[in-house]
Amino acid sequence: MEIVFVVAIAENGVIGAAGAIPWRLKSDMQRFKALTIGKPVIMGRKTFETLRRPLPRRTNIVITRDVDYRAVGAVVTTSAADAGAVARGDALRRSVAEIAVIGGAEIYRQWLDRADRLEITEVHARPEGDTHFDIDKAKWEETARIRHPAGPDDSSDFSYVTYRRRVSN
């Protein structure tokens, strides 16, 4: 079972500002959907709440410290281990080989050591922000890159970049 991060990162490592994404990339929504549809998606409570509704045709798994938290249309867990167990079971039922981790920053930190692949939308901008994601190039190897100009509903150019975990000797 492959753990795949799906995250948009600005050139300066910013992934968020005041609980929001500091750019608009409507073009990236199709890729996000393609990478996650039909799969379990793991996210934190804040990320789930920014979506305003569960992502359709995906099992939405929300990690929160709040034992009383409920989310209509999502499976709520209080630990990464429980979320992983739910996601693995769901992936097996769906006959898919991937689990998508979609944020936020704390969830990325909790799962980084388990991740096998990073599917990054590299945003060619340097916005102000209070939430960051840095890729340790000693641990990750870039295996694909496709640059795209900004579309009519995009605030900047972007690249789709895939990283795979380097095999340690």
Side-chain angles (χ1 to χ4, degrees):
M1 191 81 39
E2 200 169 49
I3 306 296
V4 180
F5 279 28
V6 182
V7 57
I9 307 172
E11 290 174 342
N12 57 354
V14 168
I15 63 170
I21 297 171
W23 53 76
R24 178 170 168 78
L25 286 182
K26 191 169 182 184
S27 298
D28 188 42
M29 291 299 104
Q30 288 178 320
R31 179 172 187 256
F32 177 84
K33 184 177 181 180
L35 288 169
T36 62
I37 200 81
K39 299 172 186 163
V41 292
I42 295 173
M43 70 195 90
R45 176 192 54 80
K46 292 177 193 172
T47 298
F48 180 76
E49 289 176 354
T50 64
L51 299 174
R52 296 190 191 104
R53 65 181 176 89
L55 295 170
R57 297 177 40 210
R58 286 155 272 205
T59 300
N60 292 245
I61 303 164
V62 178
I63 303 173
T64 179
R65 290 182 202 95
D66 182 352
V67 296
D68 296 321
Y69 184 77
R70 299 292 175 261
V72 174
V75 177
V76 178
T77 67
T78 56
S79 73
D82 288 348
V86 171
R88 278 187 298 284
D90 183 66
L92 290 170
R93 277 189 299 281
R94 291 174 177 267
S95 297
V96 296
E98 297 176 356
I99 295 167
V101 177
I102 63 169
E106 179 60 29
I107 301 306
Y108 289 133
R109 275 190 287 282
Q110 290 177 14
W111 282 80
L112 189 57
D113 288 342
R114 299 176 225 189
D116 301 294
R117 190 172 88 233
L118 308 177
E119 290 293 346
I120 306 298
T121 299
E122 187 177 275
V123 182
H124 299 298
R126 301 181 74 75
E128 294 292 319
D130 53 19
T131 311
H132 296 80
F133 186 105
D134 297 310
I135 298 170
D136 181 348
K137 303 289 175 76
K139 294 182 180 177
W140 296 95
E141 178 181 7
E142 183 178 317
T143 60
R145 174 180 291 269
I146 303 169
R147 188 173 175 106
H148 296 275
D153 294 319
D154 301 329
S155 60
S156 68
D157 294 351
F158 56 95
S159 294
Y160 295 143
V161 187
T162 300
Y163 291 90
R164 290 225 172 252
R165 184 176 295 281
R166 291 184 187 276
V167 178
S168 46
N169 296 327

